[in-house]
């Protein structure tokens, strides 16, 4: 699973958790429960715990943190694909990499909208945004 797919799936799980389990703080048990639904619980927890705000976050803040981490990874991946595309001399490869750049542009826009909706605590609308 790619890093962006992994982090995005965590973001979706967190948004779902905010809807289902509103809380005043994210305990280790809740973080473990969220991350246990991913393909690699340890990596999920490590990614989320890499942000110092996670240790004192409630679920709404954890949703924002996960979307910010997703955004950073999407930006890194986008920049890599732009460089690969720009440095490619093979026309077919250049076209394929251009498609990746386009998809990452679309994804970055959806992540930005999801982040704005999460700030407004409009979690159910995030699913509609990601599905479109």
């Amino acid at each position: 699973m790619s890093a962006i797919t992994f982090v995005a799936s965590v973001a979706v799980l967190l948004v779902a958790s905010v809807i289902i389990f509103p809380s005043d703080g994210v305990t280790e048990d809740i973080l473990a429960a969220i991350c246990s639904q991913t393909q690699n619980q340890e990596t999920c927890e490590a990614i989320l715990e890499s942000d110092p705000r996670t240790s004192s976050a409630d679920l709404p803040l954890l949703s924002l943190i996960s979307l910010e981490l997703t955004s950073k990874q999407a930006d890194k991946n986008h920049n890599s694909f732009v460089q690969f595309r720009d440095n490619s001399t093979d026309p077919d490869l250049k076209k394929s990499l251009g498609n990746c750049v386009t998809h990452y542009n679309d994804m970055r826009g959806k992540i930005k909208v999801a982040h704005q909706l999460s700030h407004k605590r409009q979690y159910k609308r995030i699913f509609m945004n990601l599905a479109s």
Side-chain angles (χ1 to χ4, degrees):
M1 176 185 288
S2 74
I4 189 69
T5 304
F6 182 77
V7 176
S9 65
V10 171
V12 169
L13 290 171
L14 283 170
V15 170
S17 296
V18 170
I19 295 168
I20 298 168
F21 305 111
S23 90
D24 295 328
V26 176
T27 64
E28 287 183 24
D29 290 341
I30 291 173
L31 190 61
I34 292 167
C35 289
S36 71
Q37 299 175 50
T38 67
Q39 290 184 354
N40 189 322
Q41 181 172 344
E42 292 83 19
T43 301
C44 172
E45 290 175 11
I47 289 170
L48 291 172
E49 290 171 348
S50 71
D51 189 300
R53 298 173 295 168
T54 297
S55 62
S56 61
D58 57 5
L59 283 171
L61 177 57
L62 193 61
S63 174
L64 290 169
I65 291 168
S66 70
L67 289 165
E68 290 165 11
L69 293 170
T70 303
S71 180
K72 286 179 187 178
Q73 187 64 52
D75 289 344
K76 287 179 185 177
N77 291 3
H78 173 265
N79 292 337
S80 294
F81 280 111
V82 167
Q83 288 179 346
F84 293 149
R85 181 199 62 200
D86 292 349
N87 292 322
S88 176
T89 57
D90 179 314
D92 290 334
L93 182 57
K94 194 174 201 84
K95 182 179 178 183
S96 294
L97 292 168
N99 289 337
C100 291
V101 169
T102 299
H103 289 300
Y104 271 101
N105 274 333
D106 293 344
M107 188 182 317
R108 289 164 65 205
K110 288 182 179 191
I111 294 167
K112 186 178 286 188
V113 169
H115 191 267
Q116 292 167 347
L117 291 171
S118 189
H119 262 295
K120 296 176 185 176
R121 297 182 180 223
Q122 296 177 354
Y123 304 110
K124 291 179 183 177
R125 289 187 58 202
I126 293 173
F127 289 112
M128 293 184 295
N129 169 60
L130 296 175
S132 65

